[in-house]
Amino acid sequence: MTELYTNLSDIQADLQQGKTSVVKLVEEYLSQIKLHSHLNAFLEVFDQEALGCAKALDDKIKSGKAGKLAGLVLAIKDNICYKDHKVSASSKILEGFTSIYSSTIIERLLAEDAIIIGRTNSDEFAMGGSNETSHYGPVKNYADTNKVPGGSSGGAAVAVQAGMCHAAIGTDTGGSVRQPAAFCGSIGLRPTYGRISRYGIIAYASSFDQVGPLARSVEDAAILLEVMAGADEYDATISHRPVPEYQKDLAFKGKKKIAFIEEALTSPGVDQEIKDVLLQYIEKLKSEGHIVEPISFEYMDYVVPTYYILTMAEASSNLAKYDGVHFGYRSPNATDLESTYKKSRSEGFGKEVKRRIMLGTFVLSSGYYDAYYAKAQKIRRLIRDKTLEILHDYDFILSPTTPTPPFNIGENIKDPIVMYLEDIFTVQAALAGIPAISLPLGNNAAGLPSALQLSGKCFDEAGLLAFSKYFLELSKN
Ligand code: GLN
């Protein structure tokens, strides 16, 4: 492949000058998809459709009427509904299901002339952190095919990593954009809860789910956020705040106050190289005149259990509709209504999804509701309050994105506790509803992508993105 573009603006400049065409770009991505099919990143490639759109877009560009995203070839995670296209949440229970409408974000992306090249593999119903729970098999990390790409948006991250598209759209319930971005070397942004419409996104845990971009540059993450964000009458939890022109406002000046999570440097569970990277950036920021101070987050031990109790409870309710009657898989072995429900669900859902539905049902059941669900709700409030308190005193919170580098396929899947603990640094933002971004910082000694996470104040994506751009420039010095 010719050298990958980092910025959409460079693609657009080359398109204007006739140095390339959208058809040529799509053809190149399609050939990369073919070349890297063993990575298992795509569940379906919309090749003919993407080429058709590319031809039409080349004409539109000539007429000077193309949208903001002209030239951007995108992959979408397989839990985002796109009218007349299959969507399965990487689950057998939705095998063969075709969406009858488009999510709000798809409509907005298409209206600005993005081209959607295919749907990407993910953990089943976005439940996982390694892309190993997919009914369609694991995705492999392009940097080392024995390693996981992270999850649940693992296919999206690898599609960007291996040049199979320019950027991708994932969803982040507790880290599913940021963690795979960290494991595959791209930028992954989780916006503030309520910034982007969830309409047409297959729900996992509704009070946590957010859409987010995986991109090669902060500029592109900004423009994708700008296009997708904003009020939507189909999402009752959306914010009606105006959407800033994020991409125009990326200049950073001044000095900031940054807190870093002290436990990240002291905990034996955090990889030494990740600690070293964190320390190195703390020193860099200090030498640039920023205030960088350690804080101890007193609820650190509670973030993972609270996240899992609440998301499993919400998942058990959200997934009740997959009953073998309304849509998706129906067991051929069923003989009556009850066995249709039982057999379709038993055969249609994978092990991890069933574990979560059962645990979620348990924590919501009378007799246990107060001890688990209600208590977890209270702890979520404490975590949110404490997080917002920190962000009252500081502009950003700096932490690793993940406690470990990409791990081996098969290494953690047998032990859910080990797998869930991988989310230790990403679930705080999800519980608190704040925006957070994972920033790629080169490779570790083993040649695997390395990253850090910055979290910011609610609805200050503009500040977070501008600082992220500056932070990445700092990494080059
Ligand atoms: N690993 C987390 C989980 O399994 C996060 C998943 C996500 O953000 N969708 O719940």
Side-chain angles (χ1 to χ4, degrees):
M1 173 162 204
T2 45
E3 210 187 312
L4 288 175
Y5 287 96
T6 308
N7 282 315
L8 174 61
S9 57
D10 295 334
I11 296 179
Q12 291 177 336
D14 280 4
L15 286 170
Q16 284 304 333
Q17 291 163 25
K19 288 191 188 152
T20 188
S21 69
V22 187
V23 168
K24 194 166 163 240
L25 289 169
V26 169
E27 281 170 350
E28 284 186 7
Y29 294 126
L30 289 173
S31 74
Q32 290 303 300
I33 293 175
K34 232 186 195 156
L35 187 67
H36 300 303
S37 59
H38 62 287
L39 300 175
N40 202 21
F42 279 84
L43 294 183
E44 188 180 356
V45 183
F46 309 142
D47 45 1
Q48 290 313 314
E49 187 186 352
L51 281 169
C53 293
K55 279 195 193 97
L57 185 54
D58 277 326
D59 292 339
K60 204 172 171 185
I61 291 170
K62 280 187 201 124
S63 72
K65 293 202 186 94
K68 281 185 196 175
L69 301 182
L72 176 57
V73 178
L74 269 180
I76 55 168
K77 185 177 179 179
D78 184 39
N79 61 352
I80 300 174
C81 294
Y82 182 8
K83 191 171 191 276
D84 298 331
H85 291 76
K86 289 200 178 104
V87 61
S88 77
S90 297
S91 178
K92 179 177 173 183
I93 211 154
L94 278 172
E95 199 164 41
F97 177 75
T98 299
S99 183
I100 55 168
Y101 68 100
S102 281
S103 52
T104 298
I105 59 151
I106 292 290
E107 288 189 347
R108 291 182 180 172
L109 292 164
L110 293 178
E112 291 295 346
D113 288 326
I115 289 184
I116 299 173
I117 199 161
R119 59 184 171 100
T120 52
N121 202 345
S122 67
D123 280 296
E124 186 180 2
F125 282 99
M127 297 178 192
S130 65
N131 218 121
E132 291 168 289
T133 72
S134 168
H135 174 60
Y136 300 98
V139 175
K140 294 172 181 167
N141 195 314
Y142 181 45
D144 176 346
T145 52
N146 293 315
K147 305 287 177 190
V148 303
S152 59
S153 316
V158 171
V160 176
Q161 182 188 27
M164 301 190 252
C165 56
H166 181 68
I169 306 298
T171 60
D172 188 308
T173 302
S176 278
V177 163
R178 293 162 286 155
Q179 188 244 22
F183 279 7
C184 297
S186 57
I187 292 164
L189 171 69
R190 175 194 168 90
T192 311
Y193 184 80
R195 184 69 293 191
I196 295 182
S197 170
R198 289 180 295 111
Y199 179 70
I201 308 301
I202 294 182
Y204 158 17
S206 308
S207 78
F208 294 81
D209 297 343
Q210 270 299 285
V211 167
L214 292 105
R216 292 204 174 91
S217 67
V218 172
E219 287 84 346
D220 290 358
I223 188 101
L224 283 165
L225 175 65
E226 189 176 312
V227 168
M228 293 190 288
D232 176 20
E233 61 178 317
Y234 295 120
D235 180 352
T237 59
I238 198 80
S239 164
H240 288 257
R241 285 169 187 251
V243 178
E245 288 187 297
Y246 296 111
Q247 201 208 7
K248 287 212 176 118
D249 200 15
L250 290 172
F252 170 76
K253 277 199 308 290
K255 302 294 170 212
K256 293 287 176 193
K257 241 184 123 180
I258 300 145
F260 71 88
I261 310 264
E262 197 172 21
E263 288 85 346
L265 288 181
T266 54
S267 163
V270 179
D271 171 78
Q272 188 55 45
E273 270 187 274
I274 291 178
K275 288 179 181 164
D276 294 344
V277 174
L278 180 60
L279 258 178
Q280 183 193 337
Y281 279 87
I282 291 169
E283 292 312 322
K284 267 191 192 209
L285 289 167
K286 280 187 185 163
S287 70
E288 290 284 310
H290 303 287
I291 296 172
V292 189
E293 291 173 349
I295 50 145
S296 176
F297 188 65
E298 63 200 279
Y299 301 119
M300 208 60 189
D301 287 348
Y302 299 97
V303 294
V304 169
T306 306
Y307 168 81
Y308 276 96
I309 289 172
L310 294 176
T311 53
M312 287 180 188
E314 293 186 26
S316 72
S317 160
N318 275 327
L319 272 58
K321 58 180 169 280
Y322 305 106
D323 55 7
V325 176
H326 291 91
F327 28 55
Y329 175 78
R330 180 177 301 168
S331 171
N333 309 316
T335 49
D336 57 9
L337 185 62
E338 190 166 329
S339 67
T340 301
Y341 292 155
K342 281 188 179 163
K343 288 189 193 293
S344 303
R345 286 171 68 82
S346 303
E347 294 162 18
F349 288 129
K351 208 169 154 192
E352 181 62 25
V353 172
K354 282 192 265 198
R355 179 185 353 258
R356 296 192 191 200
I357 293 173
M358 286 191 278
L359 281 167
T361 309
F362 173 76
V363 300
L364 287 173
S365 59
S366 74
Y368 295 100
Y369 184 96
D370 285 341
Y372 292 100
Y373 183 73
K375 188 164 269 174
Q377 287 285 36
K378 289 179 191 159
I379 301 171
R380 182 181 194 180
R381 172 47 70 102
L382 289 174
I383 292 167
R384 176 175 160 85
D385 288 351
K386 181 71 194 167
T387 305
L388 298 188
E389 206 180 286
I390 296 167
L391 288 166
H392 181 76
D393 297 336
Y394 295 90
D395 297 297
F396 306 110
I397 302 172
L398 177 66
S399 74
T401 309
T402 60
T404 69
F407 44 90
N408 288 330
I409 294 177
E411 188 178 330
N412 291 348
I413 194 75
K414 296 241 152 53
D415 189 343
I417 304 292
V418 175
M419 190 70 97
Y420 298 169
L421 281 170
E422 279 289 324
D423 303 331
I424 182 94
F425 296 119
T426 49
V427 293
Q428 182 185 358
L431 286 156
I434 58 171
I437 191 165
S438 179
L439 299 170
L441 299 169
N443 288 342
N444 68 9
L448 294 167
S450 164
L452 288 178
Q453 172 179 251
L454 278 168
S455 315
K457 297 182 205 286
C458 284
F459 295 102
D460 185 29
E461 280 83 1
L464 184 62
L465 287 163
F467 193 72
S468 296
K469 186 169 175 315
Y470 160 82
F471 192 91
L472 285 177
E473 275 155 19
L474 210 66
S475 75
K476 291 176 195 137
N477 303 329

